[in-house]
């Protein structure tokens, strides 16, 4: 049975779709009508429900994503390493971690805004808080948009991965590219792997199934492997390495005798030597393919020697499984996938070797009962009347008698209970299994309370060790405190350091005084309204007397206070113009009065900003662009205004034919109003 079905993982929407799904569901599943006349508690409950429902939907969606994607530490090491090779384990974990963080942030946002909504004092305040809460949740989702898109790509790729069961009977095919691995798999299984006359036709793992002795075997075709350092191998080769490293399978290492794959036998032997550590504890079979082009007997002596070395390495796996060193039948096999010569023999040998290994492992394990259906017990029939008793050695009989005596000697608690009166009378002693220096101490009565104190509170077998640890820790802390002592006294500092310290302290005091002066200025103090100054304590005369007593000129301060207390009038600007008229140029009286009027008007009234003027922060380049934006805005609302809509959300369908105008008899008179 396949344990991992990645095709069931739910589709991961992107950030924008995620927000649309959740908000549309909130709109559909929660009430939408609210009025100002409702009680404030009802308004609060209305908007709190929307915030909570949105948070629950986000939480469910994100939790589904986190739970359905496999955790690399919990799944089989084969799938863990395969996912790491294909997608990079760190990026995968980081994406899932961001999803989890977003889920926690949304829960925190909902919690905070529900608290604020509990104290909302109006419909507008509650609605604003709801909009802010949903907006912040959507912002969090939009920020994890790249992670959602990455996980969706991974989900699509994982859905296309073959369903490989790491624990079932498996045959693994490996070797150089273009040596006939996919052709062999197509012959023995119903899989349809693409076969082409160039290298790396197979770029991922392919799975097929075959039967042998009424048992189903899983056949895995791996991409070709090149003989190069581990760090230089690409993702395609690493898929094969991962399968070889983690799957308990019978390994078929393919050799191309003819060299038509583009690699010599020496290169193929070098590849075998570089990856032979992956074949440990696995049944290994060397398959010499394409014997129709080059028989095994017709190769050179050097190549023959290399093949014998490979065969010797393969024999070590046979010996490691408990086989005989002379059993060379299922180690080196020849075949041709073109003529199908020897294909079935290779398949049967691999299945037999794998089956024998799995049976031996189960015989050594405690699950022997699961394998009993493979054994057949033959019961011989007597051929004559002569008795043939079994011959049991005397040593075995003595051992059995000794074992029976020990079993008879040992008494269980149930036996003791029956001997001593049965249940309710016999009380099992919990002290008889105590490990003490003297067995006589087991039944001693221990005092629990002595002089009003619990005895166990004063028993500590490790008290001396703990005391020693405390003294050691106290010594270390004292040493650290002595090392960390640092006092800014003049005795410990050099003259240059003392001068620097004095400068620092002087600068600090100066900054403190400057800050206090700023805080005490009149600009930072609030203006006292006249209605609170009933006793006339805050007057300009009193301020003038206080400033004069301090030796300051109070005229400017009094003038400023009076200018703030009274509004500016037009004639004041005229007077000011007349006051300094002695230094001004002699100009025509009419022109002077006109200029004064203009100046006074500009001072008394502020001119409004023209619509085309660009305000910083609007995001517009110049006034031309702003004028164009205004025109487009007016054009966009023209249709809405023409239809007498109040806004974009006004979707009211008016009655096209009012009943009172289009029913009944036509009376005498005008009918224009119809």
């Amino acid at each position: 049975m396949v344990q991992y079905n990645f095709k069931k993982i739910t589709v991961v929407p992107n950030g924008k779709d995620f927000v649309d799904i959740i908000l549309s569901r909130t709109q559909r599943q929660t009430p939408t009508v609210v009025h100002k006349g409702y009680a404030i508690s009802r308004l609060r409950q209305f908007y709190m429900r929307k915030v909570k429902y949105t948070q629950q939907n986000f939480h469910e969606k994100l939790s589904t994503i986190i739970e359905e994607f496999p955790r690399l530490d919990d799944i089989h090491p084969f799938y863990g390493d395969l996912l790491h090779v294909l997608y990079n384990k760190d990026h995968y974990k980081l994406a899932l971690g961001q999803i989890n963080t977003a889920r926690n942030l949304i829960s925190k946002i909902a919690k905070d805004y529900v608290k604020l909504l509990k104290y909302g004092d109006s419909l507008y305040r509650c609605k604003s808080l709801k909009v802010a809460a949903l907006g912040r949740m959507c912002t969090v989702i939009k920020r994890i948009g790249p992670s959602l898109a990455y996980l969706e790509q991974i989900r699509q790729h994982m859905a296309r991965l073959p369903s490989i069961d790491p624990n079932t009977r498996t045959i693994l095919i490996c070797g150089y590219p273009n040596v006939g691995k996919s052709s062999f798999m197509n012959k023995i299984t119903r899989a349809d792997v693409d076969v082409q006359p160039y290298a790396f036709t197979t770029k991922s793992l392919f799975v097929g199934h075959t039967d042998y002795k009424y048992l189903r075997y899983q056949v895995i075709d791996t991409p070709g492997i090149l003989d190069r350092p581990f760090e230089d191998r690409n993702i395609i080769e690493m898929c094969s390495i991962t399968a070889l490293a983690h799957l308990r399978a019978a390994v078929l290492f393919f050799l191309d005798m003819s060299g038509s794959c583009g690699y010599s036998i020496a290169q193929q032997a070098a590849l075998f030597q570089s990856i032979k550590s992956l074949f440990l504890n696995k049944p290994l079979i060397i398959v010499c393919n394409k014997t129709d082009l080059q028989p095994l007997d017709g190769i050179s002596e050097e190549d023959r020697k290399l093949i014998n070395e490979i065969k010797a390495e393969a024999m070590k796996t046979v010996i490691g499984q408990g086989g005989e060193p002379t059993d060379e039948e299922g180690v080196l096999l020849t075949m041709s996938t073109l003529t199908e010569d020897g294909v079935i023999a290779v398949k049967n040998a691999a299945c037999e070797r794998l089956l024998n290994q799995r049976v031996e492992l189960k015989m050594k394990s405690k699950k022997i009962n699961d394998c009993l259906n493979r054994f057949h017990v033959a019961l011989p029939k007597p051929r004559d009347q002569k008795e043939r008793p079994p011959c049991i050695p005397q040593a075995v009989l003595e051992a059995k008698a000794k074992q029976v005596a020990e079993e008879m000697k040992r008494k269980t608690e149930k036996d003791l209970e029956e001997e001593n009166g049965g249940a309710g009378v016999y009380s099992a002693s919990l002290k008889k299994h105590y490990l003490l220096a003297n067995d006589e101490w087991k039944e001693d009565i221990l005092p629990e309370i002595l002089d009003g104190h619990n005895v166990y509170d004063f028993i500590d077998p490790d008290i001396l060790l703990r005391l020693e640890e405390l003294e050691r820790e106290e010594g270390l802390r004292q040493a650290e405190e002595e090392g960390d002592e640092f006092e800014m006294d003049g005795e410990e500092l050099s003259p240059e350091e003392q001068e620097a310290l004095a400068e620092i302290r002087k600068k600090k005091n100066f900054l403190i005084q400057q800050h206090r002066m700023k805080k005490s200025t009149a600009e930072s103090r609030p203006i006292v309204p006249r209605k609170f100054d009933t006793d006339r304590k805050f007057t300009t005369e009193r301020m003038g007397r206080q400033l004069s007593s301090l030796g300051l000129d109070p005229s400017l301060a009094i003038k400023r206070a009076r200018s703030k207390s009274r509004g500016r009038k037009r004639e004041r600007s005229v007077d000011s113009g007349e006051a300094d008229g002695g230094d001004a140029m002699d100009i025509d009286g009419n022109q002077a009065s006109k200029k004064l009027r203009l100046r006074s008007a500009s001072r008394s009234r502020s001119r409004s900003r023209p619509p085309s003027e660009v305000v910083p922060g609007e995001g517009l380049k110049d006034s031309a662009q702003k004028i164009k934006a205004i025109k487009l805005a007016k054009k966009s609302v023209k249709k809405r205004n023409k239809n007498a809509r109040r806004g974009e959300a006004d979707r009211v369908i008016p009655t096209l034919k009012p009943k009172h105008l289009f029913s009944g008899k036509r009376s005498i008179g005008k009918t224009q109003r119809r």
Side-chain angles (χ1 to χ4, degrees):
M1 183 182 67
V2 180
Q3 292 182 344
Y4 310 104
N5 189 1
F6 299 133
K7 295 178 178 61
K8 290 185 178 179
I9 300 177
T10 311
V11 176
V12 181
N14 58 34
K16 187 175 181 303
D17 293 345
F18 208 115
V19 171
D20 292 342
I21 290 167
I22 299 300
L23 293 186
S24 64
R25 184 182 294 175
T26 303
Q27 187 71 7
R28 284 184 282 109
Q29 301 292 339
T30 56
T32 55
V33 179
V34 68
H35 299 291
K36 278 194 295 187
Y38 288 168
I40 189 64
S41 59
R42 186 174 176 183
L43 295 175
R44 291 171 185 163
Q45 193 63 33
F46 178 88
Y47 288 108
M48 283 164 60
R49 181 177 177 183
K50 283 188 175 293
V51 173
K52 287 179 181 177
Y53 189 82
T54 308
Q55 182 264 332
Q56 288 173 0
N57 286 334
F58 275 123
H59 190 276
E60 290 173 4
K61 274 279 189 185
L62 296 175
S63 299
T64 302
I65 293 172
I66 294 170
E67 290 168 5
E68 287 189 348
F69 274 87
R71 295 186 180 181
L72 299 184
D73 298 330
D74 296 341
I75 61 177
H76 194 276
F78 164 69
Y79 272 115
D81 277 5
L82 185 62
L83 296 181
H84 175 54
V85 166
L86 295 174
Y87 315 124
N88 193 336
K89 176 172 61 177
D90 298 329
H91 292 177
Y92 177 82
K93 287 186 175 180
L94 194 62
L96 287 178
Q98 288 179 349
I99 302 296
N100 188 32
T101 305
R103 181 178 65 176
N104 296 335
L105 282 175
I106 288 173
S107 300
K108 187 174 182 298
I109 289 169
K111 185 178 178 183
D112 294 341
Y113 276 90
V114 166
K115 278 185 182 177
L116 294 174
L117 279 167
K118 286 182 181 177
Y119 301 99
D121 53 358
S122 65
L123 173 64
Y124 176 78
R125 184 71 55 84
C126 293
K127 186 174 182 180
S128 300
L129 288 172
K130 186 267 293 183
V131 171
L134 268 59
R136 287 187 63 187
M137 292 180 193
C138 296
T139 303
V140 171
I141 294 298
K142 287 178 182 176
R143 283 180 182 170
I144 61 169
S147 298
L148 293 172
Y150 172 75
L151 288 175
E152 173 59 14
Q153 290 182 355
I154 288 181
R155 185 200 68 81
Q156 293 176 1
H157 196 282
M158 287 170 67
R160 294 192 293 268
L161 286 178
S163 298
I164 298 174
D165 186 3
N167 301 315
T168 192
R169 294 168 290 275
T170 307
I171 297 173
L172 202 61
I173 308 171
C174 66
Y176 256 101
N178 206 20
V179 294
K181 302 186 296 296
S182 300
S183 301
F184 174 75
M185 182 171 178
N186 289 341
K187 296 292 183 184
I188 66 170
T189 68
R190 287 184 292 178
D192 186 16
V193 186
D194 190 19
V195 177
Q196 297 294 339
Y198 50 80
F200 286 107
T201 310
T202 305
K203 295 182 180 179
S204 62
L205 300 176
F206 284 84
V207 181
H209 294 86
T210 186
D211 293 329
Y212 177 73
K213 289 186 178 180
Y214 305 102
L215 295 173
R216 179 61 58 90
Y217 286 78
Q218 180 178 254
V219 184
I220 299 178
D221 181 19
T222 63
I225 308 173
L226 298 179
D227 184 21
R228 51 185 176 180
F230 184 84
E231 55 273 9
D232 294 340
R233 291 195 168 103
N234 55 26
I235 295 176
I236 297 174
E237 296 174 85
M238 287 305 299
C239 291
S240 302
I241 298 296
T242 304
L244 284 170
H246 293 291
L247 293 178
R248 290 193 307 166
V251 180
L252 301 180
F253 186 83
F254 273 53
L255 294 174
D256 185 358
M257 293 288 97
S258 64
S260 60
C261 63
Y263 305 97
S264 64
I265 294 179
Q267 290 175 313
Q268 297 177 56
L271 172 65
F272 178 88
Q273 296 296 334
S274 65
I275 64 172
K276 66 180 181 181
S277 59
L278 300 174
F279 304 146
L280 293 176
N281 301 324
K282 296 185 179 75
L284 176 61
I285 297 174
I286 310 300
V287 180
C288 299
N289 193 18
K290 301 185 183 179
T291 53
D292 55 321
L293 298 176
Q294 177 65 57
L296 183 61
D297 299 331
I299 61 175
S300 62
E301 288 294 325
E302 295 179 358
D303 293 340
R304 184 71 183 179
K305 185 178 179 182
L306 292 172
I307 290 175
N308 288 334
E309 291 178 359
I310 295 174
K311 183 180 177 182
E313 290 289 341
M315 283 299 301
K316 292 180 182 178
T317 62
V318 177
I319 299 170
Q321 293 173 13
E324 294 295 330
T326 57
D327 188 13
E328 299 180 359
E329 289 185 6
V331 175
L332 181 66
L333 299 173
T334 59
M335 74 168 189
S336 172
T337 53
L338 182 64
T339 62
E340 298 187 9
D341 183 22
V343 171
I344 300 302
V346 171
K347 169 199 156 183
N348 293 344
C351 295
E352 191 67 34
R353 288 276 304 276
L354 180 62
L355 183 61
N356 291 339
Q357 187 208 30
R358 291 174 68 90
V359 168
E360 288 174 5
L361 290 175
K362 287 187 177 180
M363 290 290 290
K364 294 176 183 177
S365 68
K366 296 179 180 179
K367 297 180 180 179
I368 186 64
N369 294 328
D370 298 337
C371 302
L372 289 178
N373 59 344
R374 299 182 185 175
F375 297 101
H376 172 68
V377 180
L379 298 175
K381 296 180 180 179
R383 62 191 179 195
D384 51 22
Q385 299 299 325
K386 186 177 179 181
E387 291 187 3
R388 294 180 177 84
C391 180
I392 302 175
Q394 186 65 28
V396 175
L397 293 173
E398 292 176 358
K400 283 186 176 181
K402 187 177 180 182
Q403 186 177 1
V404 170
E406 288 179 356
E407 289 178 356
M408 294 294 291
K409 190 185 298 182
R410 183 183 177 189
K411 288 185 178 181
T412 61
E413 284 292 331
K414 189 163 184 66
D415 297 335
L416 294 173
E417 183 183 22
E418 291 176 356
E419 290 177 4
N420 294 287
V425 179
Y426 172 74
S427 178
S429 176
L430 302 176
K431 298 180 181 179
K432 61 183 178 182
H433 298 298
Y434 284 0
L435 300 177
L436 300 177
N438 191 349
D439 290 340
E440 296 178 357
W441 299 345
K442 288 183 179 180
E443 301 298 331
D444 289 351
I445 299 173
L446 295 176
E448 295 183 2
I449 303 297
L450 185 65
D451 297 333
H453 297 286
N454 192 346
V455 175
Y456 193 74
D457 293 342
F458 301 93
I459 297 175
D460 190 356
D462 302 331
I463 189 168
L464 295 177
L465 293 174
R466 295 186 181 182
L467 179 61
E468 186 178 351
E469 289 177 1
L470 286 173
E471 290 177 350
R472 193 184 308 116
E473 185 179 353
E474 185 179 4
L476 291 173
R477 288 189 176 181
Q478 289 178 355
E480 289 178 0
E481 290 175 0
E482 291 175 359
D484 292 341
E485 284 182 355
F486 179 73
E487 297 181 0
M488 298 295 289
D489 294 336
E491 299 175 356
E492 298 183 3
L493 301 176
S494 62
E496 292 82 2
E497 292 175 342
Q498 290 178 2
E499 291 178 3
L501 181 61
E503 285 293 329
I504 292 169
R505 287 176 175 170
K506 185 177 178 182
K507 180 71 174 176
K508 184 178 179 182
N509 292 333
F510 175 72
L511 291 173
I512 293 171
Q513 291 175 3
Q514 192 175 13
H515 180 64
R516 287 174 180 168
M517 288 174 65
K518 283 183 180 179
K519 284 182 67 176
S520 63
T521 56
E523 292 180 359
S524 62
R525 292 183 181 177
I527 298 171
V528 181
R530 187 170 293 173
K531 65 179 181 178
F532 295 113
D533 189 18
T534 55
D535 299 335
R536 304 286 293 170
K537 291 182 179 180
F538 303 98
T539 60
T540 54
E541 290 82 2
R542 180 170 172 269
M543 182 176 67
R545 288 196 303 271
Q546 288 181 350
L547 291 175
S548 300
S549 63
L550 294 173
L552 300 173
D553 184 13
S555 59
L556 292 175
I558 292 171
K559 188 176 179 182
R560 179 177 177 276
R562 284 176 178 168
S563 67
K564 285 204 170 190
S565 65
R566 289 199 303 269
R568 302 172 68 176
K569 295 182 180 178
R570 182 174 296 180
E571 58 269 12
R572 192 181 306 162
S573 63
V574 177
D575 296 341
S576 64
E578 293 173 356
D580 54 353
D583 298 332
M585 294 175 63
D586 294 334
I587 57 175
D588 189 21
N590 294 331
Q591 292 179 354
S593 62
K594 186 178 181 181
K595 286 185 178 180
L596 288 172
R597 279 200 307 274
L598 290 172
R599 193 183 305 160
S600 64
S602 66
R603 287 179 180 174
S604 61
R605 274 187 318 210
S606 62
R607 291 181 297 173
S608 61
R609 182 183 289 112
S612 60
E613 184 178 344
V614 179
V615 179
E618 283 185 335
L620 297 170
K621 184 170 62 176
D622 51 9
S623 59
Q625 192 178 20
K626 185 168 183 180
I627 291 170
K628 186 178 179 182
I630 292 171
K631 287 182 180 179
L632 290 174
K634 289 181 179 178
K635 187 177 179 181
S636 66
V637 299
K638 186 180 290 184
K639 184 179 179 182
R640 192 177 69 206
N641 295 341
K642 190 176 180 181
N643 294 332
R645 302 293 187 194
R646 280 180 284 182
E648 292 180 356
D650 187 5
R651 296 183 176 87
V652 176
I653 300 174
T655 307
L656 299 179
K657 291 187 176 183
K659 184 78 172 174
H660 69 285
L661 292 179
F662 292 92
S663 65
K665 291 183 178 180
R666 290 165 62 98
S667 60
I668 299 173
K670 295 180 180 179
T671 58
Q672 291 177 354
R673 62 189 295 266
R674 298 189 184 181

